[in-house]
Amino acid sequence: MSQPTEVSEFEADVLVSTVTRPADDVVELTLSAQDGRPLPPWTPGAHIDLMLADGLVRQYSLCSSPGDLSSYRVAVLLTPDSRGGSRAVHALTEGQTLRIRGPRNNFQLVSSPRYVFIGGGIGITPMLPMIEAADTAGTDWHLYYGGRTRSSMAYADQLASYGERVTFVPQDEAGLLDIAGILASPDPDTLIYCCGPEPLLAVVEQHAAPWPHGALHLERFAAKEIEKEGDDAAFELVLQRSGLTVTVPADQTVFTAMREAGVAVLGSCLEGICGTCETGVLEGEVDHRDSVLDADEQEANDCMMVCVSRARTARLVLDA
């Protein structure tokens, strides 16, 4: 077996310097470098991996200011159907150390004359640095923020300082966000950014369909449902830089095949939502099953998330 190809990404132990609770069932962690040095730079929309107990790895959006690298800040909702991640985060206390990896950004804020931000529940977190950037740049923007109750809506006080640019919609007082009304008038000079639970994203996708191509930018908490075209089949995988050719069986992922061949590849969620395992494609057609790449990026066929996506062709060549 060949030696694994080197794969690197920032990874370090950090100090949980503060723990606060900005809303019902939400905990906020401030994470600082143990040696006091600045943490790596990041851009609005970025997330980091928290490497928790029992091998759990979870991704959370950075919600602090990109201009302050003395610490990172994440806010995590305790979900009733938690698989262990949110419970582990809520059990952390000040003074503990925690290993992190990243940051990386699959939800980049693209330059635009105007933005419509739509946040649902804890989906508000990536919006905070985006709004800061848009406001600092003097860009026109409006945020529509929905939540179950006012007490469940994290950072409402902070956002209230923006005045009429923010519309708060607590469901118990005003019902659901009126997405049909918000997106009723397609505007070629406006980009839509949305993060929240899947039902909200589905409605936003529906009503954003008449908008100009590329106007909608989404980030998902969980993998979207993918309709497979028939049963999976085995295919030949060529790992160009490593000089290896292997067969990926129908019941195995490309990620696992690469690891078993001795090729190092980073992975976190293994569900196609975090972007950690993105790998360049040199030849062959990809059967994209991720929730990271948009339609244009999938159509370009120049990269894939090897944890979930497969090949449509009998042979696939990767830059690995």
Side-chain angles (χ1 to χ4, degrees), residues 147-150 169-175:
R148 291 179 291 105
T149 63
R150 286 190 183 274
V169 185
Q171 185 177 345
D172 63 336
E173 299 175 23

mmCIF file of all heavy atoms in Angstrom, residues 147-150 169-175:
data_model
loop_
_atom_site.group_PDB
_atom_site.id
_atom_site.type_symbol
_atom_site.label_atom_id
_atom_site.label_comp_id
_atom_site.label_asym_id
_atom_site.label_seq_id
_atom_site.Cartn_x
_atom_site.Cartn_y
_atom_site.Cartn_z
ATOM 1 N N GLY A 147 -38.778 32.486 14.215
ATOM 2 C CA GLY A 147 -38.483 31.548 15.290
ATOM 3 C C GLY A 147 -39.758 31.104 15.962
ATOM 4 O O GLY A 147 -40.836 31.678 15.739
ATOM 5 N N ARG A 148 -39.658 30.088 16.801
ATOM 6 C CA ARG A 148 -40.862 29.562 17.472
ATOM 7 C C ARG A 148 -41.476 30.609 18.400
ATOM 8 O O ARG A 148 -42.677 30.831 18.401
ATOM 9 C CB ARG A 148 -40.501 28.297 18.244
ATOM 10 C CG ARG A 148 -40.147 27.103 17.387
ATOM 11 C CD ARG A 148 -39.779 25.900 18.240
ATOM 12 N NE ARG A 148 -38.508 26.100 18.938
ATOM 13 C CZ ARG A 148 -38.379 26.372 20.220
ATOM 14 N NH1 ARG A 148 -39.462 26.469 20.982
ATOM 15 N NH2 ARG A 148 -37.193 26.543 20.786
ATOM 16 N N THR A 149 -40.626 31.220 19.224
ATOM 17 C CA THR A 149 -41.043 32.259 20.165
ATOM 18 C C THR A 149 -39.945 33.309 20.230
ATOM 19 O O THR A 149 -38.813 33.061 19.789
ATOM 20 C CB THR A 149 -41.239 31.687 21.588
ATOM 21 O OG1 THR A 149 -39.975 31.184 22.058
ATOM 22 C CG2 THR A 149 -42.260 30.545 21.586
ATOM 23 N N ARG A 150 -40.253 34.462 20.788
ATOM 24 C CA ARG A 150 -39.218 35.490 20.921
ATOM 25 C C ARG A 150 -38.056 35.006 21.782
ATOM 26 O O ARG A 150 -36.885 35.286 21.496
ATOM 27 C CB ARG A 150 -39.819 36.762 21.525
ATOM 28 C CG ARG A 150 -40.676 37.543 20.547
ATOM 29 C CD ARG A 150 -41.068 38.897 21.082
ATOM 30 N NE ARG A 150 -41.957 39.583 20.147
ATOM 31 C CZ ARG A 150 -41.547 40.324 19.132
ATOM 32 N NH1 ARG A 150 -40.251 40.487 18.924
ATOM 33 N NH2 ARG A 150 -42.410 40.899 18.320
ATOM 34 N N VAL A 169 -40.234 37.619 13.238
ATOM 35 C CA VAL A 169 -41.517 36.923 13.088
ATOM 36 C C VAL A 169 -41.550 35.723 14.036
ATOM 37 O O VAL A 169 -41.271 34.583 13.637
ATOM 38 C CB VAL A 169 -41.743 36.468 11.627
ATOM 39 C CG1 VAL A 169 -43.142 35.857 11.474
ATOM 40 C CG2 VAL A 169 -41.566 37.619 10.651
ATOM 41 N N PRO A 170 -41.902 35.944 15.315
ATOM 42 C CA PRO A 170 -42.090 34.810 16.226
ATOM 43 C C PRO A 170 -43.354 34.052 15.819
ATOM 44 O O PRO A 170 -44.421 34.644 15.672
ATOM 45 C CB PRO A 170 -42.251 35.467 17.598
ATOM 46 C CG PRO A 170 -41.840 36.897 17.414
ATOM 47 C CD PRO A 170 -42.108 37.234 15.991
ATOM 48 N N GLN A 171 -43.247 32.766 15.650
ATOM 49 C CA GLN A 171 -44.367 31.988 15.122
ATOM 50 C C GLN A 171 -45.588 32.021 16.041
ATOM 51 O O GLN A 171 -46.729 32.066 15.567
ATOM 52 C CB GLN A 171 -43.927 30.539 14.899
ATOM 53 C CG GLN A 171 -44.980 29.676 14.232
ATOM 54 C CD GLN A 171 -44.489 28.268 13.965
ATOM 55 O OE1 GLN A 171 -43.297 28.000 14.027
ATOM 56 N NE2 GLN A 171 -45.403 27.361 13.686
ATOM 57 N N ASP A 172 -45.370 32.024 17.362
ATOM 58 C CA ASP A 172 -46.512 31.997 18.269
ATOM 59 C C ASP A 172 -47.281 33.317 18.287
ATOM 60 O O ASP A 172 -48.420 33.375 18.746
ATOM 61 C CB ASP A 172 -46.076 31.614 19.684
ATOM 62 C CG ASP A 172 -45.127 32.633 20.299
ATOM 63 O OD1 ASP A 172 -44.457 33.363 19.539
ATOM 64 O OD2 ASP A 172 -45.044 32.692 21.542
ATOM 65 N N GLU A 173 -46.674 34.373 17.750
ATOM 66 C CA GLU A 173 -47.334 35.677 17.696
ATOM 67 C C GLU A 173 -47.828 36.034 16.297
ATOM 68 O O GLU A 173 -48.886 36.651 16.145
ATOM 69 C CB GLU A 173 -46.375 36.771 18.155
ATOM 70 C CG GLU A 173 -45.872 36.642 19.569
ATOM 71 C CD GLU A 173 -44.836 37.700 19.903
ATOM 72 O OE1 GLU A 173 -44.829 38.758 19.231
ATOM 73 O OE2 GLU A 173 -44.017 37.477 20.819
ATOM 74 N N ALA A 174 -47.034 35.675 15.279
ATOM 75 C CA ALA A 174 -47.317 36.167 13.925
ATOM 76 C C ALA A 174 -47.375 35.073 12.865
ATOM 77 O O ALA A 174 -47.519 35.375 11.672
ATOM 78 C CB ALA A 174 -46.254 37.199 13.525
ATOM 79 N N GLY A 175 -47.279 33.823 13.274
ATOM 80 C CA GLY A 175 -47.298 32.745 12.291
ATOM 81 C C GLY A 175 -45.944 32.557 11.633
ATOM 82 O O GLY A 175 -44.918 33.048 12.113
#
